[in-house]
Structures are given as structure tokens and as C-alpha cells.
Amino acid sequence: TVALSHLVHGRVKEHDDANEVIPNSYMSFEQQEPSSKSKKQKSQDIQDTRSKSIKILKRLDVIIEQESDLAHYTKNTDAKTKAILETYDLIALSPQNETVLSAICNSSILYYADVIILDYTAGRGGVQLPFKIKRTHILEATKRGLTFDLPYAPALVDSSKRKSFVQASRQFIQASVGVLKPK
């Protein structure tokens, strides 16, 4: 499974529809299954070649800086916003401070959210989380079925971010000790 992401700040707008941002032509991709047969067998099986399809998802990544922006991701949002949000398979929220993180984890009315992104490049100096992860945050989020995402791409691209990635991972692991998968 692969997710094609679209990044927005705060709230989605009319032109952020997943079908416009991520064209449907990207959504059907077939990969030929490799074969370890001899040359003669391969030529016989050319018409018989099976293909594996890769599932491609449309993902919306939202950077949330203010708690008031979360109102756009509840069931009570306007019809235009609902229509846009429903074109995405996954919606990931990236809190930029502890107040927003707490609101995301504890909100019972937040409907359009699947993933919480822990962006360790958003804190002081671009090398730490902008908040402390607390066990209560993880408990509440997992009770509601939310998952956490710690992106490793910045650490691959920039070697100075590798230490930050490891520190954020450790902080998350320490905060999640004793948190069980909800029933």
C-alpha cells in the first residue's frame, strides 16, 4: 500500500479536493510479478503473466497550529468541507503545540482524523518535537482509534535530523509503555 499525500495548513479549501490534487490516473498501477523460470518457460508464460496491483491511497496531511482549526474536522462541519474530506482515504493531523495535541487526542467530536503526525522538525531549532508526549495523550488517542506517524524522511534527507528522529522515537516509546491496544 502506498499513500500519496497532499499538505495543507489549517483547513481545506475548495481546490483541495483529492480528485483534483491527486489525479485518478495515479490510482491504477500494476506491477509485473517477477519470474524465476528459464527463457523458454518465460516465453510460454508471456500471455499467462499475472500482475499484482498496488493499493494507492489518497492522504491529506493537515498542519494544525490553532485549536480552532479542529472545528473543520468534526461531523458538524459545512457540506463543502465534508465533501472534500470524504475524497481522501486517510486524514493525518500534525499538531504544532501541546494544546492542539491535547485537543486532538481528547476530542470526542473529531470525526475526520485517522493519524497524528509527530513532526520532530517543527520544534525549537527544527530538531525536536514542539511538545512533550504524555502517556494520557497516547491512551486517549488509541481509545479513539487514532494512530501515530513518526516520519523518517527528514532524517534520511538531512543527517542533522537523525538524532532528532531517534530522540522523538524514544520519547514516544517511553510515553507509550503500558498502553494496550483497545478492545
Side-chain angles (χ1 to χ4, degrees):
T1 303
V2 176
L4 299 177
S5 296
H6 175 64
L7 179 69
V8 297
H9 291 268
R11 67 176 290 188
V12 293
K13 295 168 183 63
E14 284 186 49
H15 64 276
D16 290 332
D17 184 359
N19 297 321
E20 292 178 25
V21 175
I22 304 169
N24 287 333
S25 62
Y26 291 170
M27 304 313 286
S28 60
F29 173 78
E30 292 187 353
Q31 176 184 7
Q32 297 294 330
E33 185 178 287
S35 179
S36 60
K37 297 180 180 182
S38 70
K39 203 173 197 181
K40 185 177 179 182
Q41 289 172 329
K42 283 182 186 179
S43 65
Q44 291 173 351
D45 291 341
I46 287 180
Q47 289 117 6
D48 232 6
T49 306
R50 295 185 335 210
S51 62
K52 286 184 175 179
S53 62
I54 295 175
K55 187 173 185 177
I56 302 176
L57 304 175
K58 297 176 183 179
R59 174 176 160 157
L60 177 66
D61 292 348
V62 185
I63 296 174
I64 305 286
E65 294 178 355
Q66 299 175 357
E67 195 174 349
S68 61
D69 288 335
L70 293 175
H72 303 289
Y73 303 95
T74 65
K75 274 190 173 182
N76 301 331
T77 191
D78 62 280
K80 281 184 181 179
T81 303
K82 275 185 187 179
I84 293 170
L85 293 174
E86 288 173 357
T87 61
Y88 289 94
D89 299 309
L90 289 171
I91 298 177
L93 304 178
S94 179
Q96 299 299 298
N97 57 55
E98 190 162 354
T99 307
V100 174
L101 174 66
S102 181
I104 292 171
C105 293
N106 296 317
S107 176
S108 60
I109 62 169
L110 197 60
Y111 183 72
Y112 294 100
D114 303 304
V115 179
I116 298 172
I117 301 172
L118 300 175
D119 185 9
Y120 56 90
T121 63
R124 188 179 57 198
V127 292
Q128 70 182 31
L129 286 169
F131 45 75
K132 291 276 189 196
I133 304 172
K134 297 180 182 172
R135 184 174 184 271
T136 55
H137 293 151
I138 296 173
L139 267 172
E140 292 302 315
T142 54
K143 280 181 188 175
R144 295 188 38 248
L146 294 173
T147 58
F148 289 88
D149 180 18
L150 189 62
Y152 59 87
L156 292 176
V157 174
D158 185 359
S159 62
S160 66
K161 305 248 190 270
R162 291 180 187 153
K163 183 178 176 183
S164 306
F165 175 73
V166 171
Q167 288 174 337
S169 300
R170 283 186 180 164
Q171 186 180 352
F172 180 72
I173 290 169
Q174 287 173 351
S176 61
V177 169
V179 176
L180 301 174
K181 186 176 179 181
K183 295 179 182 177

